[in-house]
Amino acid sequence: MSRYRKALSHPVVARLSLIQLISYFGTWFSQVAIFSMLVNFGAGAVTISMTAAMAMLPAVVLAPLIGIVIDRIPFKKLMTTLLLIEIGATLSFTLIDSLSLVWLLMLLIFLRSAASSMLFSAEMSLFPKIIEGEMLKNTNEIHSIIWSFTYAAGMAVGGLATYYFGYDTAFIIDASLYTAALFILLGLKLDLQPEIRVHSHWKMFKDGFFYLLGNKKLLHLIFLHAALGLTSFDALVTLLADFQYKELIAVPLAIGWINAVRATALMIGPFFIGNWISAKNLHFFFFLEGVAIILWSQLQFDFYWGLVALFGVGFFTSTLWSYTYLMLQEETQSEYMGRVISYNDMFFMLSNITTALFIGYASKGGLSLEAITFVLGTGFIAAASYYLWFKKCYL
């Protein structure tokens, strides 16, 4: 705990962490409302999966633009604009009242996710410019703990709020949380020398692209981090709630509690294994994640045993995410940080999208949810083997 308190003693880290805490809570709070609304409208597995994929698509298709924007626009000005976009898009969710407007829902999700993706990349590009070493590692872990806590709390409370008060109330609460984050941002003070960019957008794009293309180690680290996209379980959890658990528990509550248990494990995992993980043993943790997912696949038939197994799945994920991100940050030159981070997020989200679509189409094609989950688990065992090869060649 002392290492996290030290990181939070930095005023910029502390304020941005508070903004993350509030805005991420709101995001997951309304996520339950979105998927519960789709189930209530009678959406099929493919529609649910495509909606989940739409939240990840901006980081893929806009990655080159995101990196350039981050490297050109002052951080605070950019963050203010992005939070305003998130507020507007979230309030607009209240316009959706039938499945015929699913196209508008997807458009709004794309817009909000584009702002969210850029906001996240901007933060992760800023941190290496103001802190380094162990403090940067601890800050990454704090970020993953906040994400996990808000995922747990947001999904659980969002499930209850959606069940008792309805979708529109959840969306309005979400927008108010983004508004609170915006006011906190106004007090942020940064002592960074403004970076003067004399090159055109096109030259910055080319320089960043060829810098990444010429650094094979960075590319492998990006691919390794992208393996965490196999834990994109939103569509899978929604289908489990709809197909297997709705006779036992209401769909919004099932979605909320499943994600809450997983995210609780995501939150506490770094406290136990954050000091143990290293470049020497990273493959071991990838392997354990794969085994945990395979075990979950075998226990999904029972709601409560499934929750126990899912706790094991979440226990390793945050630490894997934060440590692979740290390896990438430490390997990247500062002037290219925004562009490299955005490309990393592009591959990570592409992995998320592929996972979401695989879940939807495999389910529609007749593959059981148990078999789908088993396949995702084997992906982490493959990632462990990939890292062993990477370590031998580059470390």
Side-chain angles (χ1 to χ4, degrees):
M1 286 294 292
S2 60
R3 58 197 176 103
Y4 297 141
R5 283 197 296 268
K6 183 178 180 181
L8 288 171
S9 67
H10 193 292
V12 175
V13 173
R15 188 171 288 266
L16 287 180
S17 296
L18 181 57
I19 291 171
Q20 289 169 353
L21 180 67
I22 295 171
S23 61
Y24 286 3
F25 180 89
T27 298
W28 301 123
F29 187 95
S30 64
Q31 193 83 338
V32 178
I34 290 171
F35 285 104
S36 299
M37 181 172 65
L38 286 173
V39 170
N40 188 55
F41 290 161
V46 173
T47 300
I48 290 171
S49 295
M50 288 183 67
T51 303
M54 191 59 65
M56 308 159 198
L57 189 60
V60 176
V61 299
L62 300 179
L65 176 63
I66 288 173
I68 293 170
V69 169
I70 290 170
D71 283 339
R72 290 188 79 100
I73 298 179
F75 178 81
K76 188 173 179 179
K77 180 179 179 181
L78 177 62
M79 287 275 286
T80 301
T81 303
L82 296 174
L83 284 170
L84 287 171
I85 292 172
E86 289 183 305
I87 292 168
T90 302
L91 285 174
S92 298
F93 287 151
T94 60
L95 300 173
I96 312 301
D97 58 6
S98 70
L99 199 58
S100 64
L101 290 176
V102 71
W103 64 270
L104 178 59
L105 174 65
M106 291 188 180
L107 181 63
L108 291 170
I109 289 173
F110 182 91
L111 180 63
R112 187 175 80 159
S113 297
S116 178
S117 178
M118 193 176 296
L119 187 148
F120 167 78
S121 296
E123 288 180 335
M124 299 308 288
S125 300
L126 174 70
F127 287 141
K129 297 177 182 179
I130 60 175
I131 54 177
E132 59 184 10
E134 190 68 18
M135 193 167 185
L136 177 59
K137 173 179 179 292
N138 294 336
T139 299
N140 283 351
E141 290 184 3
I142 288 170
H143 179 276
S144 68
I145 291 168
I146 287 173
W147 185 94
S148 303
F149 170 75
T150 55
Y151 193 91
M155 287 287 190
V157 178
L160 290 170
T162 301
Y163 181 72
Y164 286 109
F165 304 116
Y167 317 122
D168 288 351
T169 300
F171 297 141
I172 292 169
I173 293 173
D174 188 4
S176 68
L177 289 168
Y178 283 125
T179 303
L182 178 61
F183 279 107
I184 294 171
L185 175 67
L186 297 178
L188 178 68
K189 292 184 171 66
L190 282 174
D191 289 326
L192 285 178
Q193 283 292 111
E195 298 184 37
I196 301 174
R197 303 290 183 182
V198 297
H199 300 306
S200 66
H201 290 74
W202 176 243
K203 180 165 177 51
M204 288 186 68
F205 166 74
K206 288 195 299 182
D207 287 350
F209 180 78
F210 286 112
Y211 169 75
L212 181 59
L213 200 62
N215 194 322
K216 302 299 183 186
K217 186 175 180 180
L218 272 180
L219 285 172
H220 288 302
L221 287 172
I222 286 173
F223 296 151
L224 189 70
H225 183 76
L228 274 298
L230 293 172
T231 61
S232 180
F233 296 144
D234 286 345
L236 180 60
V237 167
T238 303
L239 294 175
L240 281 168
D242 189 23
F243 294 171
Q244 293 189 207
Y245 304 142
K246 66 181 178 183
E247 300 301 325
L248 176 67
I249 185 173
V251 169
L253 297 180
I255 295 173
W257 288 113
I258 291 170
N259 284 307
V261 167
R262 177 193 171 206
T264 300
L266 286 168
M267 179 178 63
I268 69 173
F271 289 98
F272 290 92
I273 59 178
N275 282 330
W276 293 93
I277 196 168
S278 70
K280 293 181 179 179
N281 62 18
L282 185 59
H283 59 282
F284 181 66
F285 291 94
F286 271 107
F287 178 79
L288 288 176
E289 177 77 343
V291 170
I293 294 173
I294 290 172
L295 178 62
W296 179 39
S297 75
Q298 303 305 300
L299 295 175
Q300 285 174 348
F301 67 90
D302 183 271
F303 179 73
Y304 298 105
W305 278 113
L307 291 180
V308 173
L310 191 58
F311 185 90
V313 173
F315 190 77
F316 301 101
T317 309
S318 288
T319 306
L320 281 169
W321 182 92
S322 60
Y323 193 81
T324 51
Y325 221 114
L326 173 69
M327 293 175 74
L328 182 72
Q329 288 169 320
E330 291 184 332
E331 189 65 27
T332 305
Q333 293 180 23
S334 177
E335 63 182 294
Y336 295 103
M337 189 66 69
R339 281 160 283 179
V340 170
I341 291 296
S342 67
Y343 278 118
N344 176 69
D345 293 343
M346 178 185 75
F347 279 95
F348 177 71
M349 288 303 180
L350 185 60
S351 175
N352 279 263
I353 291 171
T354 303
T355 301
L357 293 178
F358 164 71
I359 291 167
Y361 280 101
S363 176
K364 183 181 179 181
L367 198 64
S368 69
L369 298 181
E370 173 190 330
I372 291 170
T373 310
F374 187 93
V375 171
L376 297 178
T378 61
F380 274 94
I381 295 175
S385 300
Y386 178 52
Y387 182 74
L388 283 172
W389 171 84
F390 170 82
K391 184 171 68 168
K392 181 178 178 181
C393 295
Y394 291 96
L395 299 182

